[in-house]
């Protein structure tokens, strides 16, 4: 296994987020809290958890005769990696197309706009400090 965890899909990211929020989860807990609300079979959840483990995102240990899976990487780290990959592969390394998309997006809430303004201010302060 490489030192850098491999990328994951949307459903896997959602499962990783579920497990991260709990701290750890058995397959039964993941099926009940994550799989059943989404109509996923136990075997599907088990396959996803094992795939996340093989990709380096989860660890597992035997606890009272049952495997407990825990995050090796926090789901926010995985999201950052996915965004970086998207920017590099899809946008050619430039965030400008994404910012343009956000500026033209009509569904942007007041809270999201406030958060974006705050992030932009933080980015500008950081750039000024580096000069």
């Amino acid at each position: 296994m490489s030192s850098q965890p491999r990328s994951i899909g949307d459903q896997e990211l959602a499962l990783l987020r579920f497990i991260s929020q709990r701290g750890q989860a058995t397959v039964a807990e993941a099926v009940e809290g994550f799989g059943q609300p989404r109509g996923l079979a136990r075997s599907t959840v088990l396959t996803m958890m094992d795939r996340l483990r093989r990709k380096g995102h989860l660890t597992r240990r035997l606890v009272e005769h049952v495997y407990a899976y825990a995050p090796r990487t926090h789901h926010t780290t995985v999201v950052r990696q996915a965004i970086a990959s998207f920017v590099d592969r899809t946008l050619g390394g430039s965030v400008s197309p994404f910012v343009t998309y956000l500026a033209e997006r009509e569904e942007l809430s007041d809270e999201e706009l406030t958060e974006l303004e705050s992030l932009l201010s933080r980015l500008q302060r950081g750039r000024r400090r580096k000069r």
Side-chain angles (χ1 to χ4, degrees), residues 2-3 10-11 22 26-27 30 43 45 49 55 61-62 66 74 81 91 93 97 102 107 110-111 121 128-129 131:
S2 67
S3 60
D10 293 343
Q11 189 89 290
R22 297 177 59 92
T26 64
V27 173
S43 60
V45 174
M49 291 173 82
K55 289 181 177 182
R61 63 187 176 88
L62 206 52
V66 177
H74 196 272
Q81 291 168 346
L91 304 179
L102 290 175
E107 303 89 35
D110 290 341
E111 293 84 15
S121 293
R128 277 188 225 119
R129 276 190 227 120
R131 290 182 187 165

Side-chain angles (χ1 to χ4, degrees), residues 16-104:
L16 182 59
R17 183 179 300 119
F18 172 83
I19 295 169
S20 291
Q21 289 170 344
R22 297 177 59 92
Q24 71 176 24
T26 64
V27 173
E29 292 167 340
V31 168
E32 183 179 329
F34 177 83
Q36 286 177 351
R38 290 169 174 78
L40 300 175
R42 181 187 189 287
S43 60
T44 301
V45 174
L46 174 60
T47 298
M48 290 172 60
M49 291 173 82
D50 192 51
R51 189 178 307 138
L52 284 168
R53 186 182 62 81
R54 285 192 321 264
K55 289 181 177 182
H57 298 290
L58 292 177
T59 61
R60 76 175 183 190
R61 63 187 176 88
L62 206 52
V63 178
E64 297 178 18
H65 308 293
V66 177
Y67 281 115
Y69 291 76
R72 177 174 287 166
T73 46
H74 196 272
H75 74 275
T76 55
T77 301
V78 177
V79 169
R80 279 192 205 102
Q81 291 168 346
I83 292 168
S85 176
F86 173 77
V87 169
D88 289 344
R89 284 184 295 112
T90 307
L91 304 179
S94 173
V95 296
S96 295
F98 184 69
V99 174
T100 300
Y101 163 77
L102 290 175
E104 295 171 350

